Amino acid sequence: MSIIIERFDKIKSNIEKFSIADSRTIVAVSKTFSLDHIMPLINYGHMHYGENKVQEAESKWLQIKKEKKDLKLHMIGKLQSNKAKKAVQIFDYIHSLDNQKLADVLAKSQKNINKSIKYFIQVNMGNETQKSGISYNEVDAFYNYCVKEKNLNVLGLMAIPPNDDKTEEYFKNISELNASLGLKNLSIGMSSDYMKAIKYKSTHLRIGSLIFGERS
Ligand SMILES: *Cc1c(COP(=O)(O)O)cnc(C)c1O
């Protein structure tokens, strides 16, 4: 059996121990890896993959998405509004919705091709300048803008917490903010912290290196 599948199954069983009733999606983050490397997991039946660049996603996934209709692609990286139109064509989920201009272009682009993308609003939990995301105290207003003005299907919030020892605190805070908005889905947790994310009700775990190996 492929090492990739062994690793995937291990993660899945770890998650399932904690998730008797509710459903969780593992977004297998395949950025930088070739389709050859990813293929065993696709053939195994896993259907959710994450990429962080529009161009890379397009060249890697366009063809295989035509063949496998159940495949779902998640955009997890920073999205520039000039690439939003292309992103809408290839992706099914966008986890990095973080400003009004982007929301405007996405709303228009998905309407033009009659497609309904699922969104997560990215929150900059530590107000870090190097990270994108809407700041914590602007989430409420931005959420209302996306949903009421733009009719976007926002599933929940998304965050990449600062790289310090307060991960659980950030997860707890975003989980509470998510619940206060009445949202049912939450995109938190990566290779190093997915078990913590589960504790705080993550539904979409974005896991890359722990499945596919280290990226070069
Ligand atoms: C690369 C990436 C991941 C996956 O990271 P791993 O540590 O390899 O699991 C998750 N989320 C985002 C936004 C990423 O860019």
Side-chain angles (χ1 to χ4, degrees), residues 27 29 31 52 76-77 122 158-160 189-192 206-211 213 215:
V27 179
V29 176
K31 64 189 185 195
N52 67 341
I76 61 167
Q122 184 170 355
M158 177 276 211
I160 311 164
M190 305 171 36
S191 290
S192 58
R206 310 177 312 268
I207 303 178
S209 47
L210 205 58
I211 299 173
R215 289 179 293 272

Side-chain angles (χ1 to χ4, degrees), residues 175-186:
S175 188
E176 285 173 5
L177 182 58
N178 205 59
S180 77
L181 294 168
L183 293 165
K184 301 260 183 297
N185 293 272
L186 179 60

Side-chain angles (χ1 to χ4, degrees), residues 3-113:
I3 178 85
I4 289 172
I5 292 172
E6 279 177 36
R7 293 193 198 119
F8 178 82
D9 274 345
K10 181 84 191 357
I11 295 167
K12 202 159 168 253
S13 81
N14 285 343
I15 291 171
E16 279 165 1
K17 277 180 217 153
F18 283 82
S19 326
I20 294 98
D22 25 62
S23 89
R24 321 256 190 193
T25 302
I26 298 172
V27 179
V29 176
S30 51
K31 64 189 185 195
T32 76
F33 291 105
S34 70
L35 197 56
D36 274 355
H37 189 79
I38 307 160
M39 213 57 204
L41 194 58
I42 299 173
N43 289 333
Y44 189 55
H46 187 63
M47 289 293 138
H48 290 266
Y49 294 87
E51 292 284 343
N52 67 341
K53 294 197 172 96
V54 177
Q55 199 75 51
E56 181 183 345
E58 203 179 25
S59 61
K60 201 190 288 183
W61 292 97
L62 200 61
Q63 185 56 37
I64 185 136
K65 277 198 90 195
K66 286 184 187 140
E67 292 158 23
K68 298 193 185 279
K69 301 285 182 211
D70 292 337
L71 253 175
K72 301 293 179 205
L73 263 198
H74 297 248
M75 174 58 174
I76 61 167
K78 174 75 188 165
L79 183 56
Q80 308 292 347
S81 21
N82 62 4
K83 301 229 174 88
K85 191 176 163 196
K86 270 228 161 99
V88 160
Q89 290 165 2
I90 182 92
F91 288 100
D92 304 287
Y93 295 73
I94 291 173
H95 293 235
S96 44
L97 178 57
D98 69 351
N99 66 78
Q100 287 202 0
K101 185 176 175 209
L102 181 60
D104 295 349
V105 182
L106 288 167
K108 195 170 160 213
S109 306
Q110 67 168 27
K111 196 168 178 214
N112 283 343
I113 60 165

